Amino acid sequence: MYKLVYYPDARLQVPTKPVVEFNDELKNICANMIATMVESKGVGLSANQVGIDKSIFVMQTKKKELIEFINPVIVEMNGHALLEEGCLSAPTIYVPVSRATEVVVKAQRLDGSEVTVVAEGIEAVIMQHEIDHLNGIFFFEKTNSKFRKWATKQLKKVLEKL
Ligand code: CO
């Protein structure tokens, strides 16, 4: 299991690098990321949240499948909804974030093959949250300034007690 990185760690605030080699190291990273996410009871985890500078996220689907997304990009977004979001890099803190209700994501699998995935609801929210991570955007930046100030202060207190 990897060690989690907590906000405002600098690694959560810079974009990650694209994956260019589809090898055993990549397979190991993805397997360890999935193990870390499951162990931490999360439904999504990006590589920079475990200190790895690569464009990879893993997630758990509604059907409890565990999938990796390599070099993911959002190519289409539809609708919007305001929902409470949390993150393994901000334990116990939840703030409302406006997200598209449907997304189309292009990504690669472990063998380098390209896939296009259409997602809605909670799965669409997870993908947007994780792809934000990979672009160096933390979800606190997506809420209003009142919630952002509260969350940043509250998280500091939570992390002091960890
Ligand atoms: Co997160």
Side-chain angles (χ1 to χ4, degrees), residues 63-76:
K63 291 178 183 163
K64 309 270 180 200
E65 295 160 312
L66 301 163
I67 314 179
E68 60 285 316
F69 288 77
I70 300 155
N71 300 328
V73 280
I74 295 172
V75 292
E76 204 183 310

Side-chain angles (χ1 to χ4, degrees), residues 49 86-88 129-130 133:
Q49 284 185 280
C87 179
L88 291 175
H129 178 108
E130 301 310 328
H133 270 307

